[in-house]
Amino acid sequence: MGSIDPPKAEQNGTAAAAVADPGQKPGAGDAMPPPPPVKHSNGTAAEPDVATKRRRMSVLPLEVGTRVMCRWRDGKYHPVKVIERRKLNPGDPNDYEYYVHYTEFNRRLDEWVKLEQLDLNSVETVVDEKVEDKVTGLKMTRHQKRKIDETHVEGHEELDAASLREHEEFTKVKNIATIELGRYEIETWYFSPFPPEYNDCSKLYFCEFCLNFMKRKEQLQRHMKKCDLKHPPGDEIYRSGTLSMFEVDGKKNKVYGQNLCYLAKLFLDHKTLYYDVDLFLFYVLCECDDRGCHMVGYFSKEKHSEESYNLACILTLPPYQRKGYGKFLIAFSYELSKKEGKVGTPERPLSDLGLLSYKGYWTRVLLDILKKHKANISIKELSDMTAIKADDILNTLQSLDLIQYRKGQHVICADPKVLDRHLKAAGRGGLEVDVSKLIWTPYREQG
């Protein structure tokens, strides 16, 4: 299950830092500021003496697992853990660059850094993780601890410890740093298992219409002269203004479906890469202009789901984030469920951003109905009206303290002032789906 509207992209399309507070960090394309002077704990500037320089050299090269302070693009030092290292100059035994994880933030910020970005005075020896957690846990404020907890195992709630370690080991280093898609260059967030022949590429070039990817700009330019697609290779099932939705059958368009999965995995940490895309339908949202239909995001769903999943994976591409497209995609998935005459629910596990978006959607939809509905209404009736699964309705209302258990049954307590407060906290609903513009036949009814 993928993320929805990840943190805001810069105006030039470069993906911005994905943290809980996106306004806190500058854009990924910003130049690295000069390093501030290293300071002692008392705040005074420290001039490195000979002994200090010797100590710094004695810790090199840094071992994998080392904890150290690293200068980020905001010019400030943040705690990191060395995940991997690679040799730069074979003639210099200490000339490495290091792949680091910023321990305060999500893995999507992991990156390769140069030695000069690291404060070698702050190097900590590798210690037992459990002992370290106990020690550092005492030093952290509750806000810091919660921030780490929220980002540490995002989207992996259903994985056991061994599976989580295996996943993180296999995907610990981003293999593709940036991609070019249409008029945007986008920084990637996570590892994606591209074929082995792309192992030496830090940047890939995607055709924005067929999603074929290439190693060099010249290859893309030659391809674009031959590619006759101007929209995803499927049926247009929705058009409202400049927005369009295409349904792509994974069986009929296997290469496109696989390429879309490769692309999406660069921005989704825990997504399973489906090589067998025959079983899925992909709903690709586009912004349309005179040059064609440009992919904004997508969601996928199984053609036949025994668990009533109406959505398997969802993503808004970084340049189009914070514009309401993620909320639109969620709403669209439920409109399809209504057309099918079924209740639906997203496939688990949800990412942190995915869960927030769904909770917001469920809250807005349910509370809007409760505000307008004067008489008593049951969970079953709410489910029939919204196509939201009863369990999701119950959990949402319970989290808002709107459910009481009386005489052996759940009762909804809808005080208008409380509803208004929760609706305000849930935020705006985003772009609305104009159901009159949806022309679609459920898969089971298709010839």
Side-chain angles (χ1 to χ4, degrees), residues 44-220:
T44 59
E47 281 297 328
D49 55 21
V50 175
T52 301
K53 289 179 180 177
R54 283 177 181 165
R55 180 186 177 279
R56 289 180 183 178
M57 294 306 293
S58 70
V59 299
L60 295 177
L62 298 180
E63 297 292 335
V64 170
T66 299
R67 305 261 176 174
V68 64
M69 299 298 286
C70 179
R71 191 180 77 253
W72 203 64
R73 59 187 65 141
D74 61 357
K76 299 176 183 177
Y77 281 85
H78 298 271
V80 300
K81 179 180 179 181
V82 176
I83 303 298
E84 191 59 271
R85 65 184 189 181
R86 63 188 178 195
K87 206 85 163 64
L88 294 177
N89 180 6
D92 185 344
N94 294 326
D95 193 11
Y96 284 85
E97 64 178 347
Y98 299 91
Y99 194 78
V100 299
H101 167 61
Y102 293 87
T103 56
E104 295 172 320
F105 304 116
N106 182 277
R107 288 207 310 155
R108 59 179 74 108
L109 284 182
D110 296 2
E111 63 179 348
W112 288 101
V113 299
K114 304 293 186 186
L115 182 61
E116 57 264 26
Q117 291 172 244
L118 302 174
D119 175 12
L120 298 182
N121 287 326
S122 67
V123 169
E124 297 177 23
T125 54
V126 183
V127 297
D128 180 78
E129 292 282 335
K130 293 179 181 177
V131 174
E132 183 183 274
D133 286 344
K134 289 179 182 177
V135 174
T136 57
L138 297 174
K139 298 177 183 177
M140 281 188 274
T141 65
R142 273 187 295 179
H143 172 71
Q144 289 171 323
K145 187 73 170 71
R146 184 174 68 252
K147 200 171 188 180
I148 292 175
D149 289 343
E150 286 172 352
T151 59
H152 193 58
V153 291
E154 170 214 323
H156 303 295
E157 295 81 1
E158 295 184 359
L159 295 181
D160 57 43
S163 298
L164 182 60
R165 280 195 300 273
E166 183 179 356
H167 164 81
E168 292 193 341
E169 177 62 28
F170 181 68
T171 65
K172 65 183 181 182
V173 178
K174 295 176 203 171
N175 49 339
I176 307 296
T178 57
I179 63 167
E180 186 173 304
L181 181 71
R183 59 194 178 98
Y184 293 108
E185 181 174 275
I186 311 171
E187 256 194 20
T188 64
W189 292 0
Y190 302 110
F191 170 91
S192 182
F194 284 90
E197 58 265 34
Y198 295 90
N199 285 349
D200 59 345
C201 297
S202 62
K203 181 175 180 178
L204 288 180
Y205 299 85
F206 279 80
C207 170
E208 63 174 329
F209 301 118
C210 71
L211 297 188
N212 282 339
F213 45 89
M214 292 133 241
K215 295 181 179 183
R216 298 190 306 278
K217 179 82 169 181
E218 304 77 48
Q219 290 176 301
L220 176 64

Side-chain angles (χ1 to χ4, degrees), residues 222-238:
R222 287 198 299 270
H223 168 86
M224 295 305 293
K225 291 177 181 177
K226 296 183 291 183
C227 184
D228 54 3
L229 276 180
K230 293 299 176 186
H231 58 74
D235 299 324
E236 187 178 31
I237 62 172
Y238 181 88

